[in-house]
Amino acid sequence: MAAFGTVFMPQMTLATFENSNWSSPELVSSDSIQLHPGAHVLHYASTCFEGLKAFRHENGSINLFRMDRNIERMQQSSQLLSLPAFDASFLQKMITDVVKHFHNDVPKPPGSMYIRPTHIGTEAAIGKAASPTSSSMLYVLLSPVGDYFASGDQTLRLLLEEDGSRCAAHMGMVKSGGNYASALQPILQARASVNADQVLFCPNGDVQETGAANFLLIDGNEIITKALDSSFLHGVTRDSILTIARDMGMTVSERELSVDELLERAAKPESEAALSGTAAVLAPVGTLIHKGKEIPVGDASPGKTTLKLRKALNDIQWGKAEDKHGWLTQI
Ligand SMILES: Cc1ncc(COP(=O)(O)O)c(C=O)c1O
């Protein structure tokens, strides 16, 4: 199977912002774009993106999951990066148009169509280090994806990083390329030094998130995760899992979680930990690595509650359970 995100539908929808106006979106080839080498994005990183999925139900219908949330987050990212604004309905139409065009290619469960809206600053102006781009390009790429869990339910190893941070504190809630670039070196070092899968960033002992997912600690009937602030990404999966957990009668605690408390709770036999994100859904964490010590989470196997929550979310996405929060948009 091809690696996640390496296969693309041959066309995408694209619109440009020039002279204070958005062009009408068009369906164009997805294998290239034309960009001036001096484009603002290439020098001053005026770029943001989103990740959401379309699911095929048994009756053949195609359903987008919580598209409104991803569009809202992209509008917020664009605003915080001083990229041109757009209406939610504008991007919504670009997404639905391109998914409709390729509806026959949306994989069956456990696969899905991953949707990648992208917004970049295109003005050719290398003197604009301290000024926003006056032009931009917005496009929506599609990538069919298979079963992320094809290799079975392995658990993840996370290195707790207390000294560094994933990105600048005020940029955490922006889904921007620079944040991922800034997290790469710590992640590569963690892989090489302790064979960790991911780094759990815990600046000054405050448990935050990994390079591309939110972190949840499950202790019996309680689920604990950092309360929203501007320092980390407000995951749509995080919000969905917390909502499902509340529906199941669990106690949801959105608050600060220190590394000390995490390590203490993780050692309990009934504890579980998981990473939430659009790609991984809810991935079980088996081991925390801290100051050279390996701490198993619970019994280090995929947690029962983690698997139950993941199935509950998948069942809604795949149309096997009632969508009582109205998260799906059928197209
Ligand atoms: C840094 C970061 N945190 C959290 C998430 C999870 O967000 P979501 O559940 O909206 O995919 C992602 C993935 O998109 C991410 O890149």
Side-chain angles (χ1 to χ4, degrees):
M1 193 170 59
F4 183 94
T6 57
V7 176
F8 297 98
M9 290 293 104
Q11 289 174 301
M12 60 182 182
T13 37
L14 181 145
T16 54
F17 184 85
E18 266 161 63
N19 304 320
S20 310
N21 279 308
W22 281 103
S23 67
S24 296
E26 282 181 69
L27 201 61
V28 298
S29 170
S30 68
D31 65 358
S32 62
I33 52 171
Q34 204 177 350
L35 209 53
H36 190 284
H40 198 272
V41 59
L42 300 177
H43 300 263
Y44 306 122
S46 47
T47 166
C48 59
F49 65 95
E50 269 306 324
L52 66 156
K53 283 176 173 172
F55 298 91
R56 176 181 297 281
H57 288 185
E58 221 155 75
N59 64 8
S61 68
I62 304 300
N63 297 266
L64 295 157
F65 185 71
R66 304 197 78 176
M67 172 171 55
D68 54 331
R69 283 298 189 111
N70 292 89
I71 292 176
E72 231 173 77
R73 194 167 68 186
M74 184 120 175
Q75 287 180 301
Q76 184 186 66
S77 293
S78 295
Q79 198 242 322
L80 293 170
L81 291 163
S82 309
L83 276 160
F86 53 84
D87 289 338
S89 58
F90 185 74
L91 179 55
Q92 177 165 338
K93 187 164 182 328
M94 287 178 69
I95 293 171
T96 48
D97 281 355
V98 72
V99 176
K100 266 186 199 163
H101 190 79
F102 289 107
H103 74 275
N104 284 333
D105 298 288
V106 176
K108 289 194 186 116
S112 58
M113 185 67 88
Y114 184 82
I115 305 163
R116 174 55 66 91
T118 308
H119 191 191
I120 57 175
T122 52
E123 186 181 354
I126 55 173
K128 279 203 155 182
S131 318
T133 184
S134 64
S135 61
S136 71
M137 190 184 279
L138 180 63
Y139 54 84
V140 182
L141 275 171
L142 298 184
S143 175
V145 295
D147 184 3
Y148 205 76
F149 297 101
S151 58
D153 262 321
Q154 285 158 358
T155 55
L156 298 169
R157 293 164 55 80
L158 303 188
L159 174 68
L160 308 193
E161 166 64 66
E162 289 184 81
D163 297 329
S165 41
R166 175 180 168 254
C167 61
H170 68 292
M171 291 299 287
M173 67 195 282
V174 184
K175 199 162 169 65
S176 187
N179 289 346
Y180 296 84
S182 90
L184 263 182
Q185 279 295 312
I187 295 170
L188 294 182
Q189 278 162 18
R191 278 192 197 137
S193 62
V194 293
N195 192 29
D197 297 296
Q198 300 286 340
V199 172
L200 179 56
F201 291 96
C202 312
N204 303 313
D206 173 34
V207 177
Q208 210 176 48
E209 65 177 337
T210 64
N214 293 118
F215 178 81
L216 309 173
L217 176 68
I218 301 167
D219 184 354
N221 197 46
E222 186 180 10
I223 185 162
I224 305 167
T225 192
K226 185 171 169 62
L228 298 179
D229 67 20
S230 61
S231 71
F232 73 107
L233 199 75
H234 303 177
V236 179
T237 316
R238 170 191 178 282
D239 183 77
S240 308
I241 291 288
L242 296 185
T243 303
I244 291 169
R246 283 190 198 99
D247 289 350
M248 286 178 172
M250 291 182 73
T251 304
V252 172
S253 304
E254 292 181 77
R255 60 165 171 83
E256 298 301 292
L257 173 66
S258 68
V259 167
D260 289 344
E261 183 184 352
L262 169 61
L263 294 176
E264 196 186 307
R265 286 193 184 244
K268 295 199 218 167
E270 70 274 19
S271 280
E272 302 176 23
L275 297 184
S276 72
T278 297
V281 189
L282 196 62
V285 173
T287 310
L288 303 175
I289 307 161
H290 182 245
K291 298 200 167 134
K293 260 179 60 186
E294 302 215 354
I295 302 103
V297 182
D299 66 3
S301 64
K304 275 202 315 280
T305 306
T306 302
L307 299 181
K308 188 172 80 175
L309 289 166
R310 187 172 86 197
K311 179 171 184 314
L313 177 57
N314 276 151
D315 282 352
I316 296 171
Q317 293 172 326
W318 293 333
K320 293 181 185 161
E322 189 198 348
D323 174 26
K324 63 179 177 186
H325 298 286
W327 287 340
L328 298 175
T329 308
Q330 192 178 319
I331 58 162

